[in-house]
Amino acid sequence: MNAIHPARMTARLDGDFVVFLIGMRFNRLWRVDRWAPVVAAMPRMLRELAQKPELGFLHGESYFGRTTLMLLYWRSLDPLLAYAKAKDARHLPAWAAFNRAVGTDGSVGIWHETYLVGPGRYENVYVNMPAFGLGAAGALVPAVGPLASAQGRAAHGGRRDGASAESR
């Protein structure tokens, strides 16, 4: 288990990055034959990504319910798209299997959203939390001085030292 940081912390990640949300929805719970392979595919992909940091994957978090959510962080859009299309990676066969087995029959929904994020376009704060989300993908630093407010965190462009864009 990750250590709890009792102080106010903020996550910093130098440069651009991608927040990728992906998940599935159990539309027909009794169709285990349809959704079980979809559920089983994602852990294999995440293991592959964790074992190959050169692919650009930074970190991920999972949430389960009738609609699942995976919160993933990538270094940029190019590696995310390259992984999605790579013939030697686990994603493409899983996507093809989904389309063959489920397609548009309505039993299992899948979805994703991709957000391109750059310096000065995000802010965050964590109190009494372990490294989580962007805090696990990047670096946690104390939310003090110019990083003490939401406005200040957003204005300081992800820089770990809190220096503003104007002072660089």
Side-chain angles (χ1 to χ4, degrees):
M1 178 178 225
N2 292 337
I4 303 292
H5 300 279
R8 284 174 50 91
M9 305 294 284
T10 185
R12 307 278 84 191
L13 188 59
D14 294 334
D16 296 339
F17 62 93
V18 169
V19 177
F20 185 63
L21 305 177
I22 187 167
M24 62 172 279
R25 183 174 189 277
F26 302 97
N27 292 329
R28 297 185 185 133
L29 292 172
W30 62 92
R31 291 305 312 259
V32 177
D33 61 316
R34 300 286 194 204
W35 56 257
V38 181
V39 170
M42 187 55 81
R44 291 191 293 264
M45 286 184 261
L46 291 172
R47 276 192 300 278
E48 176 178 56
L49 290 166
Q51 292 169 356
K52 298 178 180 178
E54 68 275 10
L55 295 177
F57 176 72
L58 299 174
H59 179 72
E61 309 268 347
S62 303
Y63 305 91
F64 297 96
R66 182 171 184 177
T67 299
T68 67
L69 168 72
M70 302 241 11
L71 169 61
L72 307 176
Y73 296 91
W74 288 77
R75 183 71 267 170
S76 70
L77 184 61
D78 290 340
L80 170 60
L81 297 177
Y83 179 73
K85 297 175 186 177
K87 292 184 170 127
D88 61 340
R90 292 191 177 272
H91 173 266
L92 210 52
W95 179 236
F98 173 85
N99 282 302
R100 277 191 311 275
V102 177
T104 58
D105 75 4
S107 60
V108 181
I110 56 170
W111 62 277
H112 80 257
E113 298 176 0
T114 308
Y115 300 95
L116 311 178
V117 185
R121 306 300 300 173
Y122 69 94
E123 79 80 28
N124 55 71
V125 69
Y126 310 89
V127 181
N128 296 325
M129 289 288 294
F132 172 83
L134 190 59
L140 280 174
V141 299
V144 297
L147 303 178
S149 70
Q151 183 178 6
R153 290 185 295 275
H156 290 87
R159 297 261 319 217
R160 293 175 194 200
D161 61 7
S164 68
E166 296 81 36
S167 67
R168 287 184 243 163

